[in-house]
Amino acid sequence: MPFSAEEVNAILLSVRVAACSVIVGLLPALFFAYILARFEFKGKSLLDSLIHLPLVIPPVVTGYLLIIFLGRHSLIGGFFEKIGIKFAFNWKGAVAAALVMSFPLLVRPIRLSIEAIDRGLEDAARTLGAGRARVFMTVTLPLSLPGIISGSVLALARSLGEFGATMTFVSNIPGETQTLPLALYSYTQTPGGEIMAGRLCAVSIVIAAAALAASNILAERAKKRIQK
Amino acid sequence: MIDVNLQKSFGGFSIDVEFSVPETGITVLAGASGSGKTSIINMIAGLIKPDSGRISAGGRVFFDSQKKINLAVNKRRCGCVFQDGRLFPNMNVRKNLLYGAPGKSEELDAAVNLLGIEHLLERMPAKLSGGEKQRVSIGRALLMKPDILLMDEPLASLDSERKEELMRYRDKLPKRFSVPVVYVTHSQQEILRLSDELIRIENGRVKSIGIHNGEYIGLGTSEREEHVSVFECSLQGYDSESRAVIARFPGGVFLITAESEPPSGNFRAAVNASDVAVSLDEPRNISISNIFRGKIVKIEENNAGNITVHADIGTPLASYISRSSLARLGLSEGGEAYFLIKAVSLML
């Protein structure tokens, strides 16, 4: 039996939402990982906790907070609506939910890999006449690539599996916000939906395993480039 | 001229030094580990900020606490060679070399030839030996055309063979690139072989600044804490039959056994105090060929419980003898004696 349009929609939507959340989240994650790894400042532990918060609070709470802060009548949601980005009951809202939920998993490996870079290398680059931006682009960023890769994969996997916050924030609308986990949940609640649920379950595992394999290959390549 | 005057406090340890580095040659900052010499060159490079003081090089002010000047690291043009090389692991040797000097390929060729690293250009740093890494690191620092070259124990992590290999570049490099060098080390051998000027650092202070003729206690610290007498010598000749170098020093003429003729006209020789014996009569029929008559300047007990005899044989010379020898010979300050030098190290 071929996949139904609803199933295909859910799979494609999930991949799109997860990919977008990683792509949108990567730059801010790099920024926060870098300042957390390299600078001491007031409120550093507060910022650190704030980033990690979605890991520990119930996803439903995160979803509810997203309604409050990104809803149409909120300050931030209103601003985004003005520049043409609507979150409520929209797949972009699902991206926002996935982004917030996966952000700590994106930041952490990047931060660890930046912390593992010998500061002496950055010092050496500066003595050779490089300003901070050039040091970052030529030394820090390439050397933190393994962390960027593993962070991206973790975040991608987390986004693919995002359920609670998405359901709470943008609801479960087929074709718009019904991602793979939401569709799977719906099938488990529908009489006779077991086959579809099973298939989506398998697809979900395949996508996650493929992402993991891809990241291993990429990380291996990044490592080889340094050890050649 | 590089003028350095800086103060910095690190909790229980403080640095307070003032010295000048001449425009040419190698100035060695020598001192024990933890004496503050690495911190001093890091402050010259701008990697550590002093609490107060002034650092200037050839009219350019790097740091001035009164005028609130603190030039950024990347504006100081201080080439640095670190103990651990610090090559960028994500770039091959060519890219490392050109990091501070993009697009200067003619100079790259010259530097690469000089350092003997032509065959390494496309390799990644992880595949280089310790000595090769340091040569690349030196090349990278020189190619940026620094106003000063700061070297922080560049040979410390290498075995003696690699040290030898690198020290051979000593004469070529600063002349070819005409850059003043500040060289940090705690090795007596490196001090004697490399330095044109010597600044000794102890506990964050300058202990002495100056030339080499004379006696030192524990000149470096990686070797024994022994009195060493250092002579500036000039080559008089080489007897290839007896394989002896004939060298003139302020106290007369030395004979030193060497496998081949030394290449340069001037060099240093060092004599450990335990290699010097004392005799009241002029010894004849003896295997030792370097015997000098001199005046005893001072006799004192040393830390090892032996006696140190400080003599003047035209230049200061120290000798270790036992207490019983002192009693038997009846040596006294102001008296004359013969000093028998058993071994001389040539610092070529």
Side-chain angles (χ1 to χ4, degrees):
Chain A
M1 194 166 72
F3 285 109
S4 69
E6 203 175 281
E7 283 170 297
V8 173
N9 272 343
I11 295 168
L12 292 181
L13 181 66
S14 255
V15 171
R16 180 164 46 149
V17 165
C20 284
S21 92
V22 173
I23 291 166
V24 174
L26 205 50
L27 267 184
L30 259 174
F31 172 76
F32 286 115
Y34 183 68
I35 63 170
L36 286 172
R38 281 292 184 251
F39 297 100
E40 291 304 321
F41 53 91
K42 249 191 183 163
K44 179 173 167 175
S45 57
L46 183 74
L47 177 67
D48 196 22
S49 311
L50 215 61
I51 289 172
H52 281 94
L53 212 56
L55 270 189
V56 289
I57 59 174
V60 183
V61 174
T62 306
Y64 185 63
L65 290 174
L66 284 172
I67 294 177
I68 295 175
F69 288 110
L70 290 184
R72 315 179 74 158
H73 304 296
S74 71
L75 203 64
I76 307 172
F79 167 76
F80 274 106
E81 191 144 343
K82 253 183 215 150
I83 62 168
I85 297 174
K86 229 177 87 182
F87 289 121
F89 307 110
N90 187 292
W91 73 275
K92 287 169 193 150
V95 172
L99 176 72
V100 170
M101 293 301 294
S102 63
F103 199 62
L105 297 174
L106 189 53
V107 172
R108 201 171 167 75
I110 301 177
R111 176 186 174 175
L112 289 177
S113 71
I114 292 176
E115 278 171 347
I117 298 171
D118 178 5
R119 267 174 197 238
L121 290 174
E122 294 168 329
D123 282 349
R126 286 205 293 150
T127 64
L128 287 163
R132 280 194 192 278
R134 184 167 172 231
V135 173
F136 182 80
M137 293 307 288
T138 55
V139 179
T140 317
L141 192 62
L143 290 179
S144 57
L145 205 58
I148 294 174
I149 293 170
S150 66
S152 301
V153 171
L154 274 176
L156 191 76
R158 180 69 190 78
S159 299
L160 281 170
E162 200 344 82
F163 181 81
T166 310
M167 176 87 120
T168 315
F169 183 35
V170 290
S171 186
N172 187 355
I173 308 163
E176 188 62 49
T177 65
Q178 190 181 61
T179 57
L180 194 151
L182 297 184
L184 206 161
Y185 171 75
S186 298
Y187 287 128
T188 62
Q189 302 300 304
T190 320
E194 291 84 1
I195 297 174
M196 271 89 94
R199 286 201 306 209
L200 285 185
C201 184
V203 169
S204 158
I205 292 171
V206 168
I207 294 175
L212 206 61
S215 97
N216 282 341
I217 293 168
L218 285 174
E220 204 55 39
R221 244 189 231 170
K223 226 169 42 186
K224 270 218 189 95
R225 257 192 63 218
I226 290 173
Q227 288 166 345
K228 192 164 64 187
Chain B
M1 200 74 143
I2 302 147
D3 293 302
V4 177
N5 171 1
L6 52 87
Q7 292 80 39
K8 172 85 182 170
S9 155
F10 299 94
F13 178 72
S14 72
I15 291 175
D16 184 354
V17 292
E18 184 168 2
F19 58 83
S20 295
V21 175
E23 273 311 328
T24 55
I26 299 178
T27 299
V28 167
L29 282 187
S33 305
S35 59
K37 49 198 192 319
T38 294
S39 300
I40 292 170
I41 63 167
N42 280 341
M43 285 190 266
I44 298 174
L47 297 172
I48 301 178
K49 191 182 168 198
D51 295 336
S52 59
R54 189 173 195 278
I55 303 169
S56 65
R60 289 201 304 139
V61 179
F62 286 179
F63 179 80
D64 190 326
S65 55
Q66 277 179 348
K67 291 184 183 155
K68 298 229 183 326
I69 297 172
N70 185 20
L71 196 63
V73 179
N74 51 328
K75 301 271 193 290
R76 293 196 183 195
R77 309 201 50 75
C78 291
C80 291
V81 178
F82 302 94
Q83 183 178 335
D84 47 358
R86 298 197 190 168
L87 300 181
F88 305 123
N90 53 322
M91 302 174 204
N92 64 16
V93 168
R94 180 194 299 276
K95 284 185 181 151
N96 263 285
L97 286 168
L98 290 173
Y99 191 87
K104 301 217 170 153
S105 47
E106 326 85 63
E107 280 148 41
L108 177 73
D109 292 341
V112 156
N113 282 330
L114 200 64
L115 288 159
I117 48 178
E118 306 92 328
H119 57 298
L120 304 175
L121 282 177
E122 307 309 322
R123 272 202 225 168
M124 297 302 273
K127 287 282 148 75
L128 301 181
S129 72
E132 289 167 343
K133 273 185 198 161
Q134 280 311 48
R135 275 186 282 161
V136 175
S137 175
I138 292 168
R140 183 177 71 174
L142 285 172
L143 276 170
M144 70 172 277
K145 288 270 162 72
D147 292 346
I148 315 164
L149 186 61
L150 304 171
M151 303 178 87
D152 185 8
E153 308 206 26
L155 306 183
S157 57
L158 305 180
D159 58 44
S160 53
E161 218 168 290
R162 299 285 150 241
K163 277 185 188 159
E164 198 55 42
E165 169 194 312
L166 265 179
M167 273 200 264
R168 285 202 294 270
Y169 294 105
R170 174 218 189 272
D171 280 330
K172 300 187 203 170
L173 289 177
K175 278 176 197 145
R176 169 71 175 72
F177 287 87
S178 62
V179 56
V181 179
V182 181
Y183 188 105
V184 162
T185 184
H186 61 243
S187 149
Q188 176 177 308
Q189 199 201 5
E190 286 168 42
I191 295 169
L192 291 176
R193 284 186 54 168
L194 301 177
S195 61
D196 296 311
E197 176 74 56
L198 177 64
I199 298 172
R200 302 180 73 193
I201 306 289
E202 194 174 86
N203 288 324
R205 305 289 183 275
V206 173
K207 187 180 174 196
S208 69
I209 297 179
I211 45 147
H212 287 88
N213 271 323
E215 283 177 25
Y216 295 99
I217 302 174
L219 183 56
T221 51
S222 59
E223 292 90 5
R224 289 171 296 170
E225 273 249 336
E226 181 173 341
H227 271 88
V228 178
S229 308
V230 179
F231 313 120
E232 299 278 357
C233 306
S234 59
L235 181 69
Q236 294 291 105
Y238 180 71
D239 184 348
S240 52
E241 211 162 289
S242 62
R243 292 202 190 126
V245 175
I246 306 151
R248 175 161 293 281
F249 80 111
V253 172
F254 255 123
L255 287 177
I256 308 164
T257 309
E259 286 305 310
S260 59
E261 188 170 348
S264 61
N266 288 298
F267 51 88
R268 282 184 193 118
V271 174
N272 289 329
S274 54
D275 288 331
V276 181
V278 184
S279 166
L280 285 176
D281 307 317
E282 184 172 3
R284 295 170 202 283
N285 309 320
I286 184 167
S287 63
I288 293 173
S289 50
N290 292 312
I291 300 171
F292 302 96
R293 189 180 162 80
K295 196 172 161 186
I296 297 171
V297 179
K298 198 175 168 196
I299 297 173
E300 61 182 357
E301 196 173 312
N302 61 35
N303 293 337
N306 290 327
I307 303 299
T308 307
V309 177
H310 301 274
D312 180 3
I313 57 166
T315 180
L317 178 75
S319 165
Y320 285 170
I321 61 173
S322 65
R323 275 165 195 280
S324 58
S325 301
L326 177 69
R328 193 154 37 82
L329 295 176
L331 299 178
S332 62
E333 291 176 3
E336 302 247 322
Y338 290 89
F339 295 87
L340 292 69
I341 299 175
K342 284 179 273 187
V344 182
S345 349
L346 269 185
M347 301 293 171
L348 296 172

